[in-house]
Every structure is written in C-alpha cells, then in structure tokens.
Amino acid sequence: MAVTACFLILLCEGFDLAMFGSIVPSLRSYSAWDLSPEMIGYMGSASVLGMLCGAAVAAWLADRVGRRPVMVGAVVVFSVAMGSGAIAPGPEVFLLLRFFVGLGAGAVMPTAAATLIDSAPADGRNRFSSMGFVGVGLGGVLAGLLSLWLVPAYGFRAMCAVGLLPLLMTPYLLKAVPESTAFLLARGCREEAAQVAADLGLGLEAPAAAASPDRPAPQPAEGKRLGLVFGEGRSTGTVLFWGATLFCLLVTFGVSAWLPDLLHGAGYSLSVSLGSLVALKAGAVGVLGAGWLADKFGQKRVVLCTYLCTVVSLASLSLAPPPLVAYALIALLGLGTTGLQTLINAYVGSYYPARARATGLGLNLSIGRVGGIVGPSYLGFLVSAGLGLDSKFYALAIPALIGACLIALVPRPRQGTSDRAAEPADTSVGTAT
C-alpha cells in the first residue's frame, strides 16, 4: 500500500508539472490574456521556484507534524492550485497558482523518497524507490496523451481542471501512507510505531536504522559535513557538479515548458507538437539502461555521453526533421534531460562518503534548481526576440555542451578519502530528482 500510494502521488505530481508545456500553445493563442513570451516563461519558472520553497517547508514541517500529513497536505495544495487554474481570472493569478503547484510538488518529492526507503526491506530499497518514482515519468506521459484530446478541443482550462482529481484520493492516502516510525518513537508513540512496522513487515528498529532524512541516529555536525564536501580534494568536483546540475536543469525545464510551442511554431501540427511531450517523457525511461551501463563502464563516462546525446538531439531538432525522426530525437532528449539528472544525482551521491552524502546532494540540487528557475524564462526571452527555430535549439544546446565540459573536468577524489569502497553502492540517491 505504501508503494502504491507513493506511486499515485508521484503520478499526479508528474502530470501537474509536465502539463504546463502542453498548454503553452493554448496560452499563447488565448486572446483574452494576450500573453507575451516573457510572461509565459515566468509562469514556467514560478513552479520551479515553488519547488525550492516546498522542499524547505517540508523538511521543517516533517519533524514537527509528521511525514504523512505533510505528504497528503502537499497533494491537496498542488491539486487545488492546479484545478483553480481552470477559473483563473487573469495571468497574474495563474502565475501565482503555478507557484503553489510547485510548492506542493516540492514538498512531495523528498517525503515520498524517504517513505519509500523506510517502507522497504534492507535489500529492496532501490526497487521500491524505482517503483514509486516511475510515476513521475508516467504522469508526464499521461499529460501528453490527454493534451492531444483536451487542448485542441477545450483549451488550457480543461487540462487544469483535470488536476483536481487527486483530491478524490485523499481518504485513501491518509490510510495508505505510513507515518515514519522514527517520528512516532520520538513522540513516545511506541505502540503505534510497532503497528506501523508490523504492517510493513519490518522490525521496529529497521526503519529507524534505515537511511532517511529524519533518522534519529547521531549525525556529524553541519560544519564537519561541509568539511567533507569541500575538503579532501573534493572542492573542485563539488563546484563542477553544481554547474553541471544547473545547466542540466536549465535545459530540462526549458524544454519541458517550451518544446510543443517551438515545434508548433516551426510548422508541425498541433497534435505532433503535443505528442512530443509523450516522446520526451517516454525517452526518460532509457535511464534504466544507462544506469546499467554506468555500473559496467563507469559513471563519469556514461554521464558525459548522455550529456552529449542532449547536444546532438537539440542540434538535430534545429533542422526541423520529419515527425518520426523528430520523435526519435525527442525521446533521446528525454534521456538527456530527466534521465541525465537521475544519473548526475547518482554520480554526485557516490562522490562523497556516506556521512556527507545527504549534505553534498542537498547543496547540489539546491543550487541546480536555479537553472530550473531560469530555463523557462530563458526560452521565453528567446521566443520574444523572434529568433528562428535553429537559433532557439542551439541556444539550448550551448548550455548542454557547457555542462558536458564541466562533467569532463570533474576530478577523481583522492585515494583513500572516500569510504565508498567499504559500503554497498547507494543507487537510490538518483531517484529524488
């Protein structure tokens, strides 16, 4: 039930985040608002800014009220905000609602990741995380498929109205999402904690001992963790990872927000343009194969090659190829954006010793989100400038190429400074993108 609940939550979140790109052509043609490309870019960036705030709020609230109310409350927030877009009276209100969509989505991701790991047996954490987080990609596919029918017939407001449907799941989620046993034990609710552990088929102490954000086990002081992130020869790699993640998320969120509109403006039909989102999200599934290659040939090589796939696909799309070829290139682009960030997360996580891993990943994703905020607005200014299709795609390929160069420069940690060799591989770090 825990995995199913998290899958459904992440499916809805993936839908809400991906649907914005599918409604951009409808927003641009909505004469009542007469939106400029810059304003549409701000709308796309607002949700990413909301994700930043949502993650911070969730981390603060989960220790005070528990993980379950935070997760279910986040679902209510992004569902109400999404559905309210169907009756938004003006673009300013719609932009504010996009911020609240991101706020809820940002709170869901870390709490869902921790819940999946805590609910899994020790040898099944990666499997449980994958089963839950596949919902994000499938939600994006669902948004693309629904947009093919709803947007041409009913416009962007119909897609927003669909976002209210997750509210129907809240009674089930309140029952199915387990509370953190560590939180319950900290509040003196040992009987309830024992019941939760029994329902999950785990010993009472297993969830508390699992690697999770609210684990009560002793942790190094913040200053010591920062010393491990920047010290022992890792400072250069840390800064290079920040830049690589920033450029990856810039391209990822820029493409997600503007790809259908770019294709439609290049002469592709509306159905082909909206179908591009399906290909984009479906291509991200290729990360399963890329992860296997990373285990076999090394993370740096595979991350670098995936980054170069992004450059090649964007440069090739600038030539406006036939629809079938365009779909193949867009699927490759899905691997080189959403899939690439998953690979980078795993690479970053393995770069640091376990006791500093959460700090290293947290800093990397926090700074990288700046690229996600900039991406939609960056494309909005390019569209407003009246650049041709080739120039817009090249303007996305250049940041991807810079990111590839940064990955190529990441040095190997000094021999003996990491404790990775003494611990099992932790590939779950790549799931909470």
Side-chain angles (χ1 to χ4, degrees):
M1 288 180 69
V3 174
T4 301
C6 289
F7 169 83
L8 291 173
I9 290 171
L10 292 167
L11 179 79
C12 297
E13 182 201 31
F15 177 90
D16 285 0
L17 292 177
M19 61 76 63
F20 182 76
S22 71
I23 65 173
V24 168
S26 177
L27 285 170
R28 293 197 69 190
S29 63
Y30 190 55
S31 58
W33 287 358
D34 191 25
L35 295 175
S36 66
E38 293 94 338
M39 185 60 176
I40 293 177
Y42 295 148
M43 290 176 175
S45 297
S47 61
V48 191
L49 178 61
M51 291 180 73
L52 267 174
C53 300
V57 169
W60 181 80
L61 275 180
D63 288 335
R64 288 158 178 80
V65 301
R67 192 180 296 158
R68 178 169 54 194
V70 169
M71 195 183 307
V72 178
V75 172
V76 173
V77 169
F78 71 62
S79 299
V80 171
M82 179 80 163
S84 298
I87 56 173
E92 294 81 10
V93 174
F94 192 84
L95 183 148
L96 183 62
L97 291 172
R98 289 304 302 172
F99 171 83
F100 280 102
V101 168
L103 189 71
V108 157
M109 279 227 174
T111 48
T115 298
L116 287 165
I117 292 172
D118 282 356
S119 302
D123 61 349
R125 292 171 190 159
N126 296 327
R127 184 174 70 252
F128 273 46
S129 295
S130 299
M131 287 190 293
F133 271 87
V134 75
V136 177
L138 292 178
V141 172
L142 179 62
L145 292 174
L146 271 179
S147 69
L148 293 172
W149 164 53
L150 287 177
V151 174
Y154 304 104
F156 73 92
R157 293 188 184 275
M159 284 290 287
C160 293
V162 174
L164 282 171
L165 293 179
L167 291 177
L168 301 177
M169 298 192 308
T170 50
Y172 168 76
L173 296 178
L174 287 169
K175 177 183 178 182
V177 175
E179 186 52 85
S180 165
T181 55
F183 173 81
L184 294 173
L185 289 172
R187 294 299 184 274
C189 306
R190 187 170 182 83
E191 290 185 5
E192 187 178 351
Q195 184 60 53
V196 171
D199 291 341
L200 295 173
L202 303 171
L204 180 58
E205 295 304 321
S212 62
D214 55 359
R215 185 173 67 183
Q219 296 292 324
E222 186 65 28
K224 292 183 178 179
R225 291 198 297 268
L226 287 174
L228 290 170
V229 169
F230 290 100
E232 300 181 341
R234 298 189 190 92
S235 57
T236 300
T238 294
V239 175
L240 290 171
F241 277 132
W242 290 355
T245 300
L246 186 149
F247 285 116
C248 175
L249 291 179
L250 186 152
V251 175
T252 298
F253 282 91
V255 166
S256 296
W258 283 98
L259 183 61
D261 186 75
L262 292 178
L263 295 176
H264 189 49
Y268 292 96
S269 68
L270 183 59
S271 60
V272 169
S273 301
L274 295 177
S276 66
L277 285 180
V278 180
L280 184 71
K281 298 302 179 181
V285 178
V287 73
L288 297 174
W292 177 82
L293 291 174
D295 288 336
K296 188 174 180 63
F297 298 106
Q299 291 172 301
K300 183 173 182 176
R301 289 193 184 101
V302 174
V303 170
L304 180 58
C305 289
T306 308
Y307 237 132
L308 294 176
C309 286
T310 310
V311 177
V312 170
S313 58
L314 287 168
S316 301
L317 284 169
S318 70
L319 303 175
L324 287 179
V325 177
Y327 275 167
L329 291 170
I330 291 167
L332 184 63
L333 184 59
L335 172 62
T337 50
T338 303
L340 173 61
Q341 186 53 51
T342 299
L343 294 172
I344 292 177
N345 285 351
Y347 188 11
V348 172
S350 65
Y351 198 74
Y352 304 107
R355 58 192 183 279
R357 185 168 295 150
T359 301
L361 271 170
L363 285 170
N364 187 67
L365 286 172
S366 296
I367 293 171
R369 288 289 182 194
V370 174
I373 295 171
V374 171
S377 298
Y378 172 62
L379 262 293
F381 283 116
L382 294 177
V383 172
S384 179
L387 298 178
L389 179 71
D390 55 346
S391 299
K392 295 168 189 172
F393 279 114
Y394 281 131
L396 282 172
I398 290 172
L401 183 60
I402 296 173
C405 293
L406 294 176
I407 289 294
L409 294 172
V410 172
R412 182 176 299 179
R414 292 175 188 169
Q415 190 70 23
T417 60
S418 174
D419 59 3
R420 284 175 290 140
E423 63 189 11
D426 183 5
T427 56
S428 67
V429 294
T431 59
T433 310

